[in-house]
Amino acid sequence: MKKLILLSLVLFQIASVYAWDFYSKVGNDTLFFTITDANNRTVQVTYPGGDNIMSRWENHIKPSGNLVIPSTVSNGGLTYSVTSIYRHAFSNCSGLTSVTIPNSITSIGEGAFYYCSGLTSITIPNSVISIGNSAFFNCSSLTSITIPNSVTYIGDMAFSFCSSLTSVTIPNSVISIGNGAFSYCSSLTSVTIPNTVTTIGSSAFSDCSSLTSVTIPNSVTSISDYAFYSCSGLTSITIPNSVTYIDHAAFEYCSSLTKTNYTGSIAEWCNINFTDFTSNPVYYSKNLYINNQLITDLKIPNGVDTIKNHTFTQATCLTSLTIPSSVTYIGKGAFGNCNGLTSITFEGATPLVIGSNPYAFYGVPANVAVYIPCGTLALFAARMPEMNNFIESQISFSAVSEDNNKGTVQILNTPTCSNPNAVINAVAAANYRFDHWSDGNTDNPRSLYVTGDTSLVAYFKSATSIQEMQDANVKIYVSGNSIVVEFAYAQGYENEMVTVYDVLGREIAKARLEGNNLHLPVQPSGIYIVKINGLQPYKVVVP
């Protein structure tokens, strides 16, 4: 704000001498005029001379007391219409106490009443369309003003430092309130912004320390940086969901702000453009309110990749925070002094840069619970050395059968954060074979590397025999991709050769019996012939 004022003062420095064409006595005062249109006989009120603002009335008596600007003025036998007040026409006329402007005037120029510190009242007619930059800058005795409904624009710093101004009526014709328009109006207690205004300029109401409430209409789409900066008396503000942009420090140092009525989303309130955070810090006030409810649990929307510097500084109401995996950068002091936080959850592992100097979470208790993805403890401990309470999430893993009557699943190794390797085995029931896992994989037994919560289901198919084996002590069935030959009693079959043929008579598998059962690998599907010495060949279908 200080920079804004200094820049404004620079704008009013030395300008070229503007020659006046004639002067006229108005009551006890002498006013100076320049002809703006000789054919239509129009003039503007101007200053008598001098290059510097402070010396333009040098060697001339400044107007004082109650001034009534005429709507017409005569010179050389001709009558002219007074249509405007030129820039700095009455600058530093500290003796002026009241001014009446005629309805012939359409514009009040830049700095027209600049530093008229004795001015207590002014009447602006409906003919005025624009009020220029710093038009009433530091009119410190002005207590109230009515802006007519013909005005469409209130210029930058138009009423800045009007420290006695207690109320102002802004008409429905105004569409834009300029930068610093009412800044440092320390006695201003309330203001109603009409539903025609679309933009509230930078520092428009900054340092209005007596302002207690503000209603912003649903025509407003943006609130510029420092708009209500240091409005220490502001206790409530109503912001409609038409607002799509709240800029840097718009409500910084609003120390009495305890309730903010806002119907928009958290994205709109905390940065409006949550996808890239194009502005710097957007919110410094102590409490966040959405739909009249105090926000304590903040979940940054998925898709946000950057949280810029100081974005949530001093949001002391926050108790929990969730940062999605899309975030890759958290700026300096982004959550500084959010000392009410009890938990922070990071949904993603990498990549992520956490700002320092100041540290992104400065002022947050060191023992806050920081929930992090499985296997990222070393990574986060290095990124956030100020924190000492990291809690790794555990892997949720399950592997089950679609139907326990068809088969079961064994988890031979359960994955953990330190050992993410899982080993599972599907065991088919009699007359069934394993077919596939729910993710399409057909390995069995199966080893897999688990990086997150995983759930698998084993599916089985029927293994249909075409011909009964004549020996009741021998069972032949399909399990997985193997034909199983099972002997209830091996006596008489020791060292017998078991051979599997396909329907073309080609030998597919061959093995000698060395125990009570034998697994012979075959193709996943087809018709096979199992031959055991001394027994009738056995035909089996692998589905």
Side-chain angles (χ1 to χ4, degrees):
M1 183 60 199
K2 307 297 182 187
K3 291 181 180 179
L4 179 60
I5 293 169
L6 291 174
L7 288 172
S8 179
L9 291 174
V10 170
L11 293 175
F12 304 143
Q13 291 304 308
I14 297 173
S16 60
V17 174
Y18 195 95
W20 47 270
D21 293 311
F22 63 89
Y23 61 87
S24 179
K25 198 75 171 175
V26 178
N28 295 323
D29 299 312
T30 300
L31 299 186
F32 295 81
F33 300 91
T34 56
I35 298 171
T36 54
D37 189 331
N39 293 328
N40 293 312
R41 294 182 186 176
T42 61
V43 294
Q44 63 185 7
V45 185
T46 189
Y47 53 85
D51 289 332
N52 189 283
I53 291 173
M54 306 302 289
S55 64
R56 283 177 177 171
W57 287 89
E58 189 176 359
N59 301 321
H60 298 277
I61 298 174
K62 297 177 182 179
S64 62
N66 301 323
L67 174 65
V68 177
I69 298 174
S71 58
T72 59
V73 63
S74 297
N75 181 62
L78 299 175
T79 299
Y80 295 86
S81 178
V82 181
T83 59
S84 62
I85 300 174
Y86 187 63
R87 63 193 301 267
H88 298 289
F90 298 98
S91 290
N92 296 289
C93 291
S94 57
L96 278 177
T97 56
S98 71
V99 176
T100 300
I101 299 173
N103 59 14
S104 60
I105 286 179
T106 60
S107 65
I108 300 174
E110 177 183 313
F113 296 93
Y114 183 83
Y115 265 90
C116 290
S117 57
L119 188 64
T120 59
S121 66
I122 187 164
T123 302
I124 301 175
N126 285 331
S127 57
V128 172
I129 296 173
S130 64
I131 298 175
N133 296 346
S134 300
F136 296 92
F137 184 92
N138 204 28
C139 291
S140 55
S141 298
L142 193 63
T143 57
S144 66
I145 189 166
T146 298
I147 300 170
N149 59 16
S150 55
V151 173
T152 59
Y153 173 72
I154 300 174
D156 295 349
M157 306 188 77
F159 297 93
S160 185
F161 285 93
C162 290
S163 55
S164 297
L165 191 64
T166 58
S167 65
V168 62
T169 300
I170 301 174
N172 286 332
S173 55
V174 172
I175 60 175
S176 179
I177 299 174
N179 298 337
F182 296 94
S183 60
Y184 291 92
C185 290
S186 56
S187 298
L188 188 64
T189 58
S190 65
V191 63
T192 299
I193 300 170
N195 59 12
T196 52
V197 172
T198 59
T199 302
I200 298 175
S202 174
S203 302
F205 295 93
S206 70
D207 290 274
C208 292
S209 55
S210 297
L211 194 62
T212 58
S213 65
V214 175
T215 299
I216 296 174
N218 58 15
S219 58
V220 172
T221 59
S222 65
I223 300 174
S224 298
D225 59 329
Y226 297 100
F228 295 91
Y229 177 90
S230 200
C231 289
S232 56
L234 191 63
T235 57
S236 69
I237 185 166
T238 299
I239 303 174
N241 58 12
S242 59
V243 171
T244 58
Y245 187 80
I246 299 176
D247 206 347
H248 174 76
F251 298 94
E252 185 174 8
Y253 295 115
C254 293
S255 55
S256 300
L257 188 62
T258 57
K259 184 173 184 180
T260 301
N261 293 318
Y262 185 62
T263 57
S265 70
I266 190 71
E268 290 170 338
W269 176 243
C270 291
N271 190 3
I272 308 314
N273 189 351
F274 234 133
T275 58
D276 58 10
F277 281 80
T278 54
S279 69
N280 258 331
V282 294
Y283 189 72
Y284 286 75
S285 196
K286 292 182 178 178
N287 295 312
L288 298 175
Y289 279 84
I290 305 299
N291 295 330
N292 299 326
Q293 298 297 314
L294 180 66
I295 294 300
T296 58
D297 304 321
L298 176 61
K299 180 176 175 61
I300 304 297
N302 192 36
V304 174
D305 59 12
T306 300
I307 301 174
K308 293 200 79 171
N309 300 348
H310 305 287
T311 301
F312 297 96
T313 297
Q314 296 182 11
T316 56
C317 61
L318 291 180
T319 58
S320 71
L321 169 66
T322 300
I323 298 174
S325 58
S326 59
V327 171
T328 59
Y329 179 78
I330 300 175
K332 297 186 296 184
F335 296 94
N337 284 334
C338 293
N339 52 26
L341 279 172
T342 59
S343 71
I344 303 170
T345 300
F346 289 91
E347 294 183 334
T350 55
L352 177 64
V353 176
I354 296 177
S356 58
N357 195 26
Y359 171 53
F361 295 92
Y362 76 85
V364 174
N367 63 349
V368 63
V370 181
Y371 295 93
I372 57 177
C374 190
T376 62
L377 178 58
L379 180 65
F380 275 90
R383 288 173 179 161
M384 305 173 69
E386 293 83 353
M387 302 302 182
N388 58 31
N389 187 18
F390 294 100
I391 302 171
E392 282 187 290
S393 61
Q394 295 301 309
I395 292 176
S396 173
F397 181 80
S398 67
V400 297
S401 169
E402 61 161 327
D403 184 343
N404 285 336
N405 292 321
K406 298 179 180 180
T408 58
V409 175
Q410 300 170 326
I411 300 178
L412 303 179
N413 189 71
T414 302
T416 64
C417 288
S418 57
N419 180 16
N421 295 298
V423 179
I424 52 179
N425 182 42
V427 181
N431 299 320
Y432 287 93
R433 70 176 183 88
F434 169 74
D435 187 68
H436 68 280
W437 298 102
S438 52
D439 62 356
N441 187 281
T442 58
D443 294 344
N444 189 53
R446 179 182 179 187
S447 296
L448 64 159
Y449 186 83
V450 180
T451 58
D453 293 349
T454 303
S455 179
L456 294 171
V457 177
Y459 291 89
F460 299 88
K461 282 188 175 182
S462 297
T464 305
S465 296
I466 294 178
Q467 181 177 319
E468 292 293 332
M469 179 62 70
Q470 63 187 31
D471 190 327
N473 290 324
V474 179
K475 281 186 178 180
I476 298 180
Y477 57 88
V478 175
S479 177
N481 294 333
S482 297
I483 294 177
V484 180
V485 180
E486 186 177 307
F487 296 84
Y489 303 99
Q491 291 86 351
Y493 297 102
E494 295 90 342
N495 298 315
E496 287 291 347
M497 188 66 71
V498 179
T499 308
V500 179
Y501 301 90
D502 64 13
V503 292
L504 298 178
R506 293 175 298 189
E507 185 180 291
I508 300 301
K510 187 175 184 178
R512 192 175 298 279
L513 178 62
E514 293 181 352
N516 284 353
N517 57 65
L518 184 66
H519 289 250
L520 297 165
V522 295
Q523 295 299 319
S525 62
I527 298 175
Y528 299 92
I529 306 298
V530 179
K531 190 173 182 181
I532 304 173
N533 187 41
L535 294 177
Q536 183 179 343
Y538 181 77
K539 190 182 295 183
V540 64
V541 176
V542 178

